[in-house]
């Protein structure tokens, strides 16, 4: 295995590739097998691989179905941070809170196209319901910002808006 030429006879690291057999790569005669290596390994039966693949498909389907539900804490924090004022940043964030669930609801067939499993109907229902939860959160934010017309004064011109019965103010006592 070491080249037999005059110049390379003293170098052990130089290998003659012309004299090697095709199958001798994994087990050269000068090297021992590594610890734990076995030539005669047994194949895993096919039914165990199919069960494992089915389990992985179901797990992947559940991961996809729960993605919108994992966005709920982030959206709650975002709703807290942007406040209820009407300015550019809160309106853009509220529009984005609407856009993400609607776009995923309109593309749920392509989302679940490649994945199937024994629970695929339940997974689709969880996916759709969690997107509706995100839409409900965006609607609540719009209501808190005063963008939803829910009072009669929003629809009828002669109806007066609601007046507050009392005001609560903190801090120093106000003199009248």
């Amino acid at each position: 295995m070491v080249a037999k030429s005059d110049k390379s006879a003293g170098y052990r690291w130089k290998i003659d590739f012309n004299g090697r057999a095709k199958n001798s790569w994994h087990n050269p005669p000068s090297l021992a097998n590594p610890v734990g290596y076995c030539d005669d390994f047994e194949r895993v039966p096919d039914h165990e691989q199919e069960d494992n693949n089915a389990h992985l498909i179901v797990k992947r389907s559940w991961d996809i179905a729960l993605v919108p539900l994992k966005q709920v804490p982030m959206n709650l924090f975002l709703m807290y941070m942007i406040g209820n004022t009407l300015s550019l940043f809160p309106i853009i964030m509220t529009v984005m809170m609407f856009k993400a669930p609607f776009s995923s609801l309109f593309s749920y067939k392509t989302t679940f196209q490649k994945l199937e499993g024994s629970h695929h109907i339940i997974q689709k229902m969880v996916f759709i319901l969690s997107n509706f939860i995100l839409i409900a959160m965006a609607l609540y934010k719009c209501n808190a910002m005063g963008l939803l017309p829910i009072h009669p004064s929003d629809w009828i011109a002669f109806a007066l808006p609601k007046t507050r019965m009392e005001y609560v103010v903190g801090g120093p006592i106000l003199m009248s």
Side-chain angles (χ1 to χ4, degrees):
M1 298 303 137
V2 176
K4 304 285 185 194
S5 67
D6 294 334
K7 293 180 183 176
S8 63
Y11 300 115
R12 174 126 175 94
W13 52 267
K14 187 158 184 169
I15 300 172
D16 182 17
F17 291 109
N18 295 329
R20 298 193 91 158
K22 290 182 181 178
N23 295 337
S24 65
W25 273 105
H26 69 280
N27 192 10
S30 62
L31 299 174
N33 286 333
V35 176
Y37 179 79
C38 182
D39 281 335
D40 53 341
F41 64 92
E42 294 182 20
R43 291 201 52 147
V44 176
D46 290 337
H47 62 85
E48 288 182 15
Q49 285 181 342
E50 290 173 5
D51 291 342
N52 193 18
N53 287 341
H55 174 70
L56 291 176
I57 289 172
V58 170
K59 183 179 177 190
R60 180 70 178 139
S61 298
W62 275 113
D63 287 342
I64 289 174
L66 294 175
V67 164
L69 205 56
K70 292 177 183 176
Q71 293 175 357
V72 169
M74 180 194 64
N75 281 346
L76 285 173
F77 178 71
L78 202 65
M79 286 171 55
Y80 170 73
M81 290 303 290
I82 61 177
N84 292 335
T85 60
L86 288 177
S87 59
L88 187 62
F89 184 69
I91 291 175
I92 289 173
M93 297 309 290
T94 307
V95 168
M96 294 305 290
M97 286 175 62
F98 273 113
K99 181 183 173 272
F102 276 118
S103 63
S104 64
L105 279 176
F106 288 131
S107 65
Y108 85 95
K109 287 186 181 178
T110 57
T111 304
F112 285 99
Q113 183 178 11
K114 296 178 183 176
L115 302 174
E116 292 181 5
S118 59
H119 302 100
H120 68 281
I121 295 174
I122 297 171
Q123 293 162 349
K124 288 180 184 178
M125 292 295 291
V126 167
F127 182 78
I128 291 170
L129 287 175
S130 58
N131 277 313
F132 282 140
I133 290 172
L134 290 174
I135 291 171
M137 288 173 52
L139 283 173
Y140 173 77
K141 186 63 180 175
C142 285
N143 184 30
M145 293 172 69
L147 296 176
L148 293 181
I150 57 171
H151 301 290
S153 61
D154 294 331
W155 297 97
I156 303 171
F158 60 85
L160 296 175
K162 286 186 176 181
T163 58
R164 295 184 183 247
M165 296 298 287
E166 65 182 57
Y167 293 94
V168 176
V169 182
I173 299 173
L174 299 174
M175 302 200 125
S176 52

